[in-house]
Amino acid sequence: GKTVDITNLWEAVVYGMQTVWPESRSSLEGFNLGDVWQMPAFEDQSSTRDKYACFHKLSQWLTYSLLEPIQDAGFEIKGIEHMTGLAEYRNGGLFTDMGVLVPKNEAALSNSHDVTGTFVVEWRALTVGLLDRLAPIVRSKLGLSAEEYPLACVLQGGTWTAGRMTARKLRQDGGPPFQLISDGTVF
């Protein structure tokens, strides 16, 4: 059969989208990094590369969106399990709204935060980590394997939808649990 390796698809998306990111974004070795931000918790790392939290939310969303049409075209996709959760406000908002992620200073939820700032970068990093821990729990409850119920299903049918529904119940605009300052290329 025809197969597509997720690594090849991912590289095509990430390198193909490199020029869409604002020039103000972090770059490394001449490459615009896109949705990649310095993480103060990583400051003691010896390698410059290890000082960044890599999210690539829009690139991942595009990659996830391409999976179904590629499969519908008769291709099998190998390596889907290597994709991570989306570090975006529906997933992170769900964890915050449900009390799983609680800021050290509760007043932080009343403030506006730039997507490049420590508060948002750490919130997004914790979101990805929690999604990785939640996925096996959901699969276990459903009696399904990772192959039968990949992370994309956990996201679309679970956390993203639940995050959107919870946000609408708690906030009239259905937005995130705090105001985000963004140029529109992250969220």
Side-chain angles (χ1 to χ4, degrees):
K2 303 179 287 185
T3 63
V4 172
D5 188 290
I6 196 71
T7 303
N8 295 333
L9 178 59
W10 174 248
E11 287 177 356
V13 170
V14 168
Y15 291 118
M17 289 184 61
Q18 183 183 10
T19 60
V20 305
W21 303 115
E23 290 184 21
S24 60
R25 292 288 168 84
S26 297
S27 64
L28 187 63
E29 298 172 6
F31 290 98
N32 188 321
L33 299 177
D35 187 12
V36 175
W37 310 99
Q38 285 198 315
M39 179 106 158
F42 298 164
E43 282 301 312
D44 62 344
Q45 300 298 314
S46 58
S47 169
T48 301
R49 291 172 186 251
D50 294 336
K51 296 180 186 213
Y52 291 89
C54 305
F55 300 119
H56 300 294
K57 184 258 182 178
L58 294 176
S59 302
Q60 283 191 283
W61 191 15
L62 178 57
T63 303
Y64 276 123
S65 297
L66 291 170
L67 298 180
E68 189 173 344
I70 290 171
Q71 289 168 325
D72 288 349
F75 289 86
E76 179 184 354
I77 301 175
K78 298 281 190 188
I80 293 175
E81 68 275 8
H82 298 297
M83 294 290 291
T84 64
L86 298 175
E88 57 94 49
Y89 75 88
R90 298 289 188 210
N91 294 321
L94 175 66
F95 290 130
T96 303
D97 289 338
M98 300 304 292
V100 176
L101 289 176
V102 179
K104 292 176 187 174
N105 177 354
E106 196 169 315
L109 296 178
S110 302
N111 299 328
S112 296
H113 298 277
D114 193 286
V115 296
T116 66
T118 301
F119 183 83
V120 175
V121 172
E122 289 180 351
W123 176 66
R124 294 178 76 201
L126 288 167
T127 295
V128 172
L130 286 169
L131 289 168
D132 285 344
R133 289 179 175 227
L134 179 64
I137 295 168
V138 171
R139 290 183 197 115
S140 175
K141 296 277 186 192
L142 296 173
L144 298 171
S145 69
E147 292 76 30
E148 295 169 306
Y149 202 74
L151 184 57
C153 292
V154 175
L155 298 171
Q156 182 60 38
T159 57
W160 194 87
T161 302
R164 185 177 64 203
M165 291 169 54
T166 303
R168 281 190 192 145
K169 286 181 183 175
L170 296 176
R171 290 174 293 282
Q172 189 172 9
D173 68 352
F178 52 85
Q179 291 298 310
L180 291 163
I181 302 168
S182 174
D183 63 7
T185 62
V186 174
F187 294 110

